[in-house]
Amino acid sequence: DGGITQSPKYLFRKEGQNVTLSCEQNLNHDAMYWYRQDPGQGLRLIYYSQIVNDFQKGDIAEGYSVSREKKESFPLTVTSAQKNPTAFYLCASSRPGGQWNGYTFGSGTRLTVV
Amino acid sequence: QKEVEQNSGPLSVPEGAIASLNCTYSDRGSQSFFWYRQYSGKSPELIMFIYSNGDKEDGRFTAQLNKASQYVSLLIRDSQPSDSATYLCAVNPAGNNRKLIWGLGTSLAVNP
């Protein structure tokens, strides 16, 4: 079955460390997105990519970086510059053209700073 | 700034009742509207979407759009305890290139 796979499910980061969250999809979707969710703050867009080798900053890109070298993959790196990285991170994808039915989400990665 | 607003709740209904959730949006040119359900600790899952041309019914769920007043509603008939979750409304404003604007969600509790 097609879907979006995020790994790991849980991740612990030490102060000053960079960590990379994986997101892979086999839905043949062109667009991919990274969101952060904190209690009471809803979904906030970090980065998005609508085509391979191209991506744009979302509303809260500071302290994060991404790459889009393959259509299927959109990894997110949380750098040491991100001062409050503890959150639930969600990757989503969206199909191109035609009648649009919104985003498909992965199961999420819960990142905790220790 | 384009916005989507929802009452945070909690909305509490007895089992078997109709749950009515509402969402208002600021961009009058919005084209498509989405309702996602999110269980605690899980990722959002799409349950309904409608376009600006009409309402939609799918099983126990009905999504309705009021363009004049700029709100979209989700009705859940015969509510079940398994419907207890947070419901997120998302809107695709005109010219936003399929970048959704999200509400903060309404928490629904269905009591047995």
Side-chain angles (χ1 to χ4, degrees), chain A residues 33 35 37 41-43 45 48 50 88 90 95-103 105-107 110, chain B residues 32 34 36 38 40-46 49 51 88 92 96-104:
Chain A
Y33 309 81
Y35 283 93
Q37 189 174 37
Q41 294 203 43
L43 293 171
L45 183 63
Y48 65 103
Q50 295 179 321
F88 188 40
L90 290 159
R95 70 182 185 194
Q99 195 175 47
W100 192 46
N101 61 354
Y103 299 166
F105 283 91
S107 58
R110 197 166 296 276
Chain B
S32 47
F34 301 84
Y36 284 79
Q38 187 174 25
S40 180
K42 303 295 185 183
S43 61
E45 56 178 324
L46 180 68
F49 65 93
Y51 298 102
L88 303 174
N92 182 39
N96 223 40
N97 203 15
R98 298 188 171 186
K99 194 152 58 79
L100 292 175
I101 307 297
W102 295 85
L104 296 184

Side-chain angles (χ1 to χ4, degrees), chain B residues 2-111:
Chain B
K2 298 168 184 174
E3 293 181 341
V4 173
E5 294 188 355
Q6 296 180 254
N7 188 323
S8 62
L11 174 64
S12 184
V13 300
E15 184 175 355
I18 296 175
S20 177
L21 300 100
N22 292 317
C23 162
T24 61
Y25 59 94
S26 63
D27 187 80
R28 187 169 290 278
S30 295
Q31 303 287 320
S32 47
F33 309 86
F34 301 84
W35 284 100
Y36 284 79
R37 177 176 62 200
Q38 187 174 25
Y39 292 114
S40 180
K42 303 295 185 183
S43 61
E45 56 178 324
L46 180 68
I47 52 172
M48 290 285 287
F49 65 93
I50 56 173
Y51 298 102
S52 57
N53 59 350
D55 302 341
K56 188 174 182 180
E57 181 175 322
D58 184 3
R60 296 186 296 113
F61 299 92
T62 299
Q64 297 175 320
L65 174 65
N66 185 319
K67 282 196 282 189
S69 300
Q70 293 179 229
Y71 77 83
V72 57
S73 60
L74 177 70
L75 301 176
I76 306 175
R77 289 180 298 280
D78 188 23
S79 295
Q80 301 297 309
S82 59
D83 294 325
S84 299
T86 296
Y87 289 80
L88 303 174
C89 173
V91 175
N92 182 39
N96 223 40
N97 203 15
R98 298 188 171 186
K99 194 152 58 79
L100 292 175
I101 307 297
W102 295 85
L104 296 184
T106 297
S107 175
L108 172 66
V110 180
N111 305 309

Side-chain angles (χ1 to χ4, degrees), chain A residues 38-54:
Chain A
D38 298 274
Q41 294 203 43
L43 293 171
R44 292 188 288 168
L45 183 63
I46 304 172
Y47 269 98
Y48 65 103
S49 168
Q50 295 179 321
I51 195 170
V52 174
N53 293 322
D54 187 46

Side-chain angles (χ1 to χ4, degrees), chain A residues 17-88:
Chain A
Q17 213 176 30
N18 292 357
V19 292
T20 297
L21 284 60
S22 171
C23 178
E24 303 275 336
Q25 54 99 359
N26 60 2
L27 298 166
N28 199 33
H29 286 177
D30 281 321
M32 298 186 74
Y33 309 81
W34 273 106
Y35 283 93
R36 168 180 173 146
Q37 189 174 37
D38 298 274
Q41 294 203 43
L43 293 171
R44 292 188 288 168
L45 183 63
I46 304 172
Y47 269 98
Y48 65 103
S49 168
Q50 295 179 321
I51 195 170
V52 174
N53 293 322
D54 187 46
F55 48 83
Q56 287 77 41
K57 292 181 179 180
D59 302 317
I60 56 163
E62 186 175 349
Y64 299 97
S65 66
V66 293
S67 62
R68 187 84 188 277
E69 297 176 2
K70 298 187 302 182
K71 186 176 185 178
E72 300 80 16
S73 178
F74 191 40
L76 173 75
T77 296
V78 184
T79 75
S80 57
Q82 171 49 240
K83 296 306 178 191
N84 186 21
T86 295
F88 188 40

